[in-house]
Amino acid sequence: MAAPLRIQSDWAHALRKDEGEAWLSCHPPGKPTLYGSLTCQGIGLDGIPEIIASEGFIVNEINKKSIHISCPKENASAKFLAPYTTFSRIHGKSITCLDISSGGGLGVSSSTDGSMKIWQASNGELRRVLEGHVFDVNCCRFFPSGLVVLSGGMDAQLKIWSAEDASCVVTFKGHRAGILDTAIVDRGRNVLSSSRDGTARLWDCGHSACLGVIADCGSSINGVAVGAADNSINLGSPQQVPSEREVGTESKMLLLAREDKKLQCLGLQSRQPVFLFIGSDAFNCCTFLSGFLLLAGTQDGNIYQLDVRSPRAPVQVIRRSGAPVLSLQSFRGGFIASQGDGSCFIVQQDLDYVIELTGADCDPVYKVATWEKQIYTCCRDGLVRRYQLSDL
């Protein structure tokens, strides 16, 4: 990856007035940082500012919400996208998790103010408050139907909620410490949870029962992901006949991002190991890109891309800064990553530049959710930001 470019977080606002300025920087690994600035020289009739860059930087293109900058000396290029809209009234404090329903109509989010809320994705208007967890809710997501929510809390409880009337329909108990992440198998008859207690568990939603402890690794499991395995991957065979309540687990891989610097992959139905990879620091998050490619992010800022078929050495390691990688999500033939320094960026195979989602000023961006061409982020500053990729 080329040297990352950074820009003042409120650049779109700063450059909207005559002679307005915004700072820029380029960070080549192992070399001194290059600093520069952008200056507005007036606003065109179309409402788009005319911007010039200081020496060493070039403005390739500018729209109302995006600006494409290059630093030729370092062969670096980035397109910065400002939020289309910002929702500030959903929560009063840091927002730790969010998700958008499959139809794009609703959002769900949890906050360190102790609340979990469902809101209108178009305008951030509050629809429901989901009450029942003791202490903070760590993770929340919609089922594929978009009508039901799955949440995990510090209270070691996993809960299923109706998005329509905010009732809690199922509570799963069994973890001995806070739940850190969840995953849904296929349409959601089975779900998975991972916890600080070092276990990942598979649950049967219909009978609200635990179908088994899939992994017990003695170390906090910060993130989980489920993916359909490519036919060439040997997932092993189960030692016992799986329960008929297990639905959709065959030919699936389970990925565990562990606090003890290990990334573990196993067959979901077989419970057999596929690989164990040791990284540079605690793994915070993971996701599958395909039936054999995956990504995992560490506390010290590395994003590992691995091939399940030959996992000993990474395909590549992407490192933008030393800030913790907090979320990873596959997106349109590439991925979106967010980090603890407020950076949130999109890498796509066919683009020779990175798309940077701006707005957060050094506050961690904890989670990213997408719906079609819209991207939602949640941040420690208590804001949900919505970006419109059509603004590019």
Side-chain angles (χ1 to χ4, degrees):
M1 294 250 315
L5 291 167
R6 302 260 150 95
I7 198 169
Q8 187 171 315
S9 61
D10 63 346
W11 64 270
H13 179 72
L15 296 174
R16 212 172 279 146
K17 45 189 185 284
D18 215 0
E19 292 186 13
E21 273 197 347
W23 61 261
L24 270 178
S25 57
C26 179
H27 302 257
K31 292 195 210 160
T33 300
L34 304 167
Y35 295 97
S37 63
L38 298 170
T39 309
C40 173
Q41 298 208 300
I43 310 288
L45 293 172
D46 52 5
I48 292 170
E50 288 173 32
I51 304 293
I52 56 158
S54 60
E55 194 184 342
F57 294 91
I58 294 170
V59 178
N60 303 313
E61 187 192 2
I62 180 159
N63 297 317
K64 278 187 179 158
K65 293 281 184 188
S66 73
I67 188 166
H68 187 181
I69 307 280
S70 295
C71 176
K73 182 176 175 234
E74 292 300 334
N75 198 18
S77 184
K79 203 169 238 193
F80 297 97
L81 183 60
Y84 175 78
T85 179
T86 299
F87 305 141
S88 57
R89 307 229 310 268
I90 300 172
H91 293 284
K93 280 186 178 173
S94 173
I95 305 173
T96 48
C97 194
L98 93 166
D99 194 25
I100 301 295
S101 64
S102 52
L106 294 176
V108 63
S109 54
S110 58
S111 165
T112 56
D113 64 13
S115 69
M116 176 167 50
K117 297 177 178 180
I118 291 175
W119 36 274
Q120 198 91 22
S122 57
N123 57 13
E125 207 169 283
L126 190 63
R127 296 295 296 272
R128 297 276 178 268
V129 179
L130 306 179
E131 291 176 313
H133 277 288
V134 188
F135 313 122
D136 285 359
V137 180
N138 289 332
C139 45
C140 53
R141 69 169 70 237
F142 282 100
F143 277 76
S145 67
L147 304 171
V148 185
V149 168
L150 177 67
S151 67
M154 298 270 273
D155 56 8
Q157 297 186 65
L158 190 66
K159 288 178 176 283
I160 295 176
W161 311 78
S162 159
E164 295 170 301
D165 65 6
S167 61
C168 175
V169 287
V170 175
T171 298
F172 298 108
K173 293 182 179 177
H175 280 295
R176 296 182 306 280
I179 293 168
L180 298 175
D181 199 12
T182 61
I184 292 172
V185 182
D186 286 352
R187 288 174 50 210
R189 286 174 65 182
N190 291 174
V191 297
L192 286 145
S193 57
S194 73
S195 163
R196 281 186 209 283
D197 66 14
T199 67
R201 290 172 181 258
L202 182 69
W203 308 86
D204 169 7
C205 295
H207 284 180
S208 60
C210 182
L211 289 169
V213 175
I214 308 287
D216 188 351
C217 55
S219 168
S220 195
I221 302 172
N222 297 322
V224 283
V226 173
D230 186 78
N231 295 333
S232 62
I233 295 163
N234 177 13
L235 296 178
S237 306
Q239 286 171 333
Q240 295 157 340
V241 178
S243 153
E244 73 275 7
R245 301 293 304 175
E246 247 187 68
V247 184
T249 57
E250 66 282 356
S251 71
K252 297 278 196 317
M253 300 177 282
L254 175 65
L255 197 56
L256 306 176
R258 291 166 39 169
E259 184 68 23
D260 61 1
K261 306 188 184 182
K262 289 175 182 160
L263 182 70
Q264 181 181 359
C265 181
L266 29 93
L268 179 53
Q269 187 184 68
S270 70
R271 323 284 207 257
Q272 300 297 320
V274 176
F275 73 80
L276 188 67
F277 177 85
I278 299 174
S280 55
D281 203 347
F283 280 99
N284 290 330
C285 51
C286 54
T287 189
F288 285 100
L289 296 177
S290 73
F292 53 85
L293 280 178
L294 60 93
L295 291 176
T298 61
Q299 184 67 12
D300 61 354
N302 287 327
I303 298 172
Y304 289 90
Q305 185 178 4
L306 296 178
D307 186 326
V308 180
R309 300 166 304 184
S310 56
R312 276 193 288 280
V315 178
Q316 61 172 335
V317 181
I318 297 164
R319 183 180 176 83
R320 303 277 314 265
S321 75
V325 181
L326 300 175
S327 77
L328 288 166
Q329 164 141 354
S330 72
F331 182 71
R332 301 185 162 221
F335 66 89
I336 308 177
S338 73
Q339 290 186 265
D341 58 0
S343 74
C344 185
F345 58 95
I346 308 173
V347 175
Q348 281 175 297
Q349 249 88 41
D350 50 351
L351 292 183
D352 57 356
Y353 56 84
V354 174
I355 298 168
E356 301 273 354
L357 304 178
T358 62
D361 186 6
C362 301
D363 276 305
V365 175
Y366 291 114
K367 198 82 180 173
V368 179
T370 64
W371 184 75
E372 291 187 350
K373 282 193 162 184
Q374 294 169 30
I375 300 174
Y376 295 77
T377 65
C378 67
C379 181
R380 189 174 67 186
D381 61 14
L383 301 178
V384 169
R385 293 179 174 88
R386 177 175 146 217
Y387 301 85
Q388 203 95 6
L389 277 194
S390 46
D391 284 343
L392 292 166

